[in-house]
Amino acid sequence: MDTAFFTDWIDEIARLVTAERDHLTELDAAIGDADHGANLDRGFTAARATLSARPPGTPGDALVLLGGALIRKVGGASGPLYGTLFRQAGKALGDAPRVTPADLAGALEAGLRAVRELGHAEDGDKTMVDALAPAVRALREAVGNGEGERAAFEAASRAAQEGASATIPLRARKGRASYLGERSVGHIDPGAVSSSLIMQALRVTADNP
Ligand code: ADP
Ligand code: MG
């Protein structure tokens, strides 16, 4: 995967986030403050503008620029968390001009570690981590089994969606939704849903070379 693959991935995330903006906001209205869709739409739109003004030289550079734009523009809890995910993943890719799915698995593992350190969320706390962690695990497992890019990203995307759905019965223990206590039960976590859009965009990008 070259730099163009990564800018296509970011464009596809932006497209999906814009399409799902109102849905994400409705989900956040139920257990948060109804800004998740607007937050991410603003962030990914800004990221696209940053990348067209200053085209990235490498895959790592693209993710670092994306992370910086999200930190500057998203606000809320999700901005620094997603910003950290992509910045740390980008740093892990270094300045390689092309990367493999195994490299991306390693980079997302590094990004996820940084998200956990920043947000202190454990698995099952009903956050984006509940979609990201199974996705990254599925990606690692698929590349370990010698799966190709498309199959590996398909597995990661499916794991993220399942992880997001599995947040419905959970009680939130981190973020704004945790203020609701038991009343957060029965709702899907908006950040887990946006994380599954990010992984879905990866699959779509691999399907449309
Ligand atoms: P805010 O909660 O500040 O309004 P957003 O609505 O943009 O920010 O994002 C909410 C999402 O952020 C939640 O659905 C959850 O997935 C994620 N989140 C919140 N706190 C944490 C945390 N400590 N660790 C991981 N993810 C978190
Ligand atoms: Mg919110």
Side-chain angles (χ1 to χ4, degrees):
M1 296 173 283
D2 57 8
T3 307
F5 178 95
F6 280 79
T7 52
D8 287 349
W9 179 26
I10 294 164
D11 283 348
E12 182 60 25
I13 300 171
R15 203 188 61 71
L16 279 176
V17 163
T18 301
E20 294 297 314
R21 182 184 53 206
D22 293 350
H23 178 226
L24 291 170
T25 290
E26 274 165 37
L27 299 178
D28 196 33
I31 56 170
D33 58 352
D35 63 357
H36 191 56
N39 282 347
L40 291 189
D41 194 26
R42 187 169 59 246
F44 282 97
T45 301
R48 280 172 104 174
T50 301
L51 292 173
S52 45
R54 209 297 245 145
T58 60
D61 193 20
L63 295 188
V64 168
L65 288 172
L66 167 61
L70 296 178
I71 290 171
R72 281 194 307 280
K73 293 286 178 182
V74 174
S78 63
L81 291 164
Y82 278 138
T84 296
L85 173 74
F86 288 113
R87 273 175 60 89
Q88 295 305 317
K91 284 186 186 173
L93 291 178
D95 55 8
R98 297 185 70 88
V99 302
T100 64
D103 296 331
L104 183 59
L108 290 175
E109 283 163 355
L112 177 60
R113 247 190 327 272
V115 167
R116 289 185 194 274
E117 275 165 26
L118 180 63
H120 304 284
E122 311 273 351
D123 292 356
D125 281 353
K126 197 180 182 98
T127 70
M128 58 173 71
V129 168
D130 293 326
L132 290 173
V136 173
R137 270 198 301 275
L139 179 59
R140 171 58 74 196
E141 199 181 301
V143 298
N145 291 338
E147 303 277 8
E149 202 172 289
R150 290 174 64 176
F153 296 162
E154 167 70 34
S157 173
R158 201 167 341 105
Q161 267 170 295
E162 285 166 11
S165 298
T167 65
I168 295 172
L170 298 176
R171 175 186 172 145
R173 283 191 293 255
K174 284 286 179 299
R176 246 174 235 289
S178 67
Y179 309 155
L180 292 180
E182 275 301 318
R183 281 182 293 140
S184 65
V185 171
H187 301 276
I188 200 163
D189 177 63
V193 174
S194 58
S195 287
S196 87
L197 294 178
I198 290 168
M199 301 314 296
Q200 195 184 317
L202 188 59
R203 178 185 62 70
V204 171
T205 306
D207 282 348
N208 299 299

